[in-house]
Amino acid sequence: MNLNIALVPGDGIGPEVLDQNVLVLNKIGEKFGHSFKYTEVDAGGIAIDKWGEPLPKKTIDICKASDSVFLAAVGGWKWDTLPGDMRPERALLGLRGELGLYANLRPATLHKSLADACPLKPELVKDGVDIMVVRELTGGMYFGEKGRKQTDMGEAAWDTEMYSVEEVKRIARSAFDIAMKRKKKLTNVDKQNVLESSRLWRSVVLEVAKEYPEVELDHLYVDNASMQLIMRPSTFDVIVTSNIFGDILSDEASQMTGSIGMLPSASLGKGSLGMYEPVHGSAPDIAGKDIANPIATILSGAMMLKYSFGLAEEANAIENSVTKVLDEGYRTADIMSEGMKKVGTKEMGRLIIDRI
Ligand code: NAD
């Protein structure tokens, strides 16, 4: 395949971890006969410095014209005092909106060799953890009508949770499609015992389920889901839920994996164009020191191959190589433990590439 990828290195450790991802993708291209063409664009703090705004139009146009977008991280102390609209993080919301990305995929995978880093008791995770949280990204309370007014009890504020049938249908289909590529198990999380929006949400999920008879579907209320994630994490496969519930549950699930430096993510829309990014931020405290963990970024690259380009074998090659390197005891500082071999960002990248 010949693929055009827009690269957004951003700020802080962004460029360092992205470099390693590009080297890994180049190795995949070489080995499997694909050609990846990269176009680097500015967004975040660097774009504010160079162009006076966090998300220049040129960046949006190039991203829209690409087969996929890879974003490393944006933000940093230098821009922390700027007003909301001028903050580097606006670039993230702006790009997601411009690209029409409504499904956020947040895998939480506990590698066996990192089991010690998991805060849960070993017996709870002895069968491993491999969860994919599919979060609706553009609707619900974060985008609904909101406001303030005076009441008998003083000033009050409200945010509206609202979902349309079409919004739920498309996120449900995304989640069922992903479940079909995994263990064919989907847990729908809502709060239909209390919320009208959840009652509509669940009825639509049940309707869409008829298109996927092979997928085993169950339902949990969000409060129960947060408990079950801790009590029986190994039993989950794919979870689908709303924007606000997904925001919270994906962070809860991610804590089982050891370090924020291990967490990839993807945001998908209608077509194959997606945006792939590590969950972590720009980590200004460790930028430029060659100590950042590049694995979250490299695993986001594997997600891009799988979900945007349908290259499952190539994605598996990256994931298996990461597992091998961890099994052999190599660790960056954030996941270091006694008896392991400490390596820097570049060395971790090289070790992964060597094993592909
Ligand atoms: P952060 O994720 O950047 O860092 C939190 C902690 O985790 C820090 O101690 C950092 O050193 C560590 N860390 C993060 N990534 C790591 C890696 N790959 N390897 C090793 N250690 C790692 O979050 P923060 O400190 O709250 O935010 C820093 C800046 O990043 C802020 O400007 C914030 O707004 C921005 N941010 C951007 C994104 C994004 O671009 N998607 C996400 C979150 C935060």
Side-chain angles (χ1 to χ4, degrees):
M1 288 178 97
N2 292 317
L3 296 158
N4 291 308
I5 302 169
L7 295 180
V8 188
D11 312 308
I13 61 169
E16 299 169 49
V17 290
L18 187 63
D19 278 352
Q20 297 314 308
N21 183 46
V22 167
L23 294 172
V24 168
L25 289 176
N26 288 346
K27 175 69 187 259
I28 290 288
E30 226 173 82
K31 185 166 173 176
F32 292 87
H34 306 297
S35 153
F36 300 116
K37 188 169 161 270
Y38 309 102
T39 310
E40 219 171 279
V41 289
D42 294 325
I46 190 175
I48 295 172
D49 288 353
K50 277 168 81 175
W51 311 104
E53 53 181 330
L55 185 59
K57 184 170 178 307
K58 187 174 168 200
T59 295
I60 298 171
D61 291 345
I62 290 176
C63 288
K64 277 185 174 168
S66 302
D67 294 310
S68 208
V69 178
F70 205 99
L71 185 142
V74 296
W77 301 319
K78 187 177 171 190
W79 306 279
D80 271 354
T81 51
L82 291 174
D85 268 9
M86 276 301 291
R87 298 271 312 230
E89 297 80 0
R90 290 297 305 171
L92 296 174
L93 287 180
L95 271 175
R96 286 176 190 155
E98 288 285 345
L99 301 176
L101 308 174
Y102 55 80
N104 186 222
L105 276 52
R106 285 273 304 265
T109 310
L110 178 64
H111 289 264
K112 280 215 172 81
S113 50
L114 290 183
D116 283 354
C118 176
L120 297 183
K121 285 182 184 160
E123 62 264 31
L124 292 177
V125 292
K126 67 177 185 336
D127 297 326
V129 176
D130 184 8
I131 303 170
M132 175 71 84
V133 179
V134 180
R135 166 190 171 194
E136 202 288 328
L137 201 56
T138 56
M141 200 177 287
Y142 293 177
F143 294 89
E145 196 184 306
K146 56 188 81 223
R148 288 184 181 222
K149 66 177 178 185
Q150 287 301 326
T151 69
D152 296 348
M153 308 279 280
E155 189 181 18
W158 76 92
D159 300 275
T160 315
E161 176 81 352
M162 184 164 93
Y163 273 109
S164 68
V165 168
E166 284 310 310
E167 279 176 308
V168 184
K169 250 188 203 165
R170 66 186 188 182
I171 189 75
R173 286 204 178 104
S174 299
F176 276 105
D177 285 340
I178 289 162
M180 284 297 290
K181 291 183 188 148
R182 292 173 47 106
K183 293 181 211 135
K184 301 190 174 145
K185 213 174 152 222
L186 178 64
T187 301
N188 167 54
V189 173
D190 59 37
K191 188 70 182 166
Q192 79 135 13
N193 50 341
V194 179
L195 300 176
E196 195 55 37
S197 53
S198 278
R199 283 191 270 279
L200 178 124
W201 177 284
R202 188 176 295 198
S203 69
V204 175
V205 170
L206 284 167
E207 208 44 48
V208 173
K210 292 178 188 159
E211 299 165 26
Y212 298 87
E214 283 175 62
V215 177
E216 184 194 329
L217 172 70
D218 64 357
H219 306 269
L220 287 176
Y221 298 144
V222 63
D223 41 350
N224 190 16
S226 71
M227 290 194 286
Q228 300 303 324
L229 269 174
I230 301 294
M231 299 304 295
R232 51 174 183 90
S234 310
T235 62
F236 287 91
D237 180 18
V238 182
I239 291 174
V240 64
T241 192
S242 64
N243 202 342
I244 187 165
F245 296 161
D247 193 5
I248 299 164
L249 291 181
S250 59
D251 271 9
E252 184 189 352
S254 72
Q255 284 312 295
M256 294 169 212
T257 64
S259 165
I260 194 167
M262 298 292 301
L263 297 169
S265 83
S267 300
L268 306 177
K270 207 170 171 204
S272 61
L273 188 146
M275 186 159 91
Y276 296 83
E277 47 185 318
V279 166
H280 61 73
S282 58
D285 52 333
I286 58 166
K289 297 182 179 163
D290 191 39
I291 56 174
N293 188 346
I295 293 180
T297 310
I298 289 170
L299 290 176
S300 304
M303 288 186 84
M304 182 175 75
L305 297 178
K306 195 185 293 179
Y307 293 110
S308 274
F309 307 148
L311 301 174
E313 197 188 339
E314 289 82 341
N316 288 342
I318 296 177
E319 287 165 0
N320 292 340
S321 177
V322 168
T323 303
K324 253 186 239 162
V325 168
L326 293 172
D327 287 348
E328 288 171 31
Y330 294 103
R331 302 282 187 273
T332 43
D334 56 313
I335 50 173
M336 184 61 191
S337 60
E338 217 183 311
M340 299 293 134
K341 292 168 265 193
K342 195 166 165 183
V343 296
T345 312
K346 287 183 190 146
E347 181 63 3
M348 181 54 94
R350 191 191 63 76
L351 289 163
I352 293 168
I353 290 164
D354 279 358
R355 283 152 187 76
I356 289 175

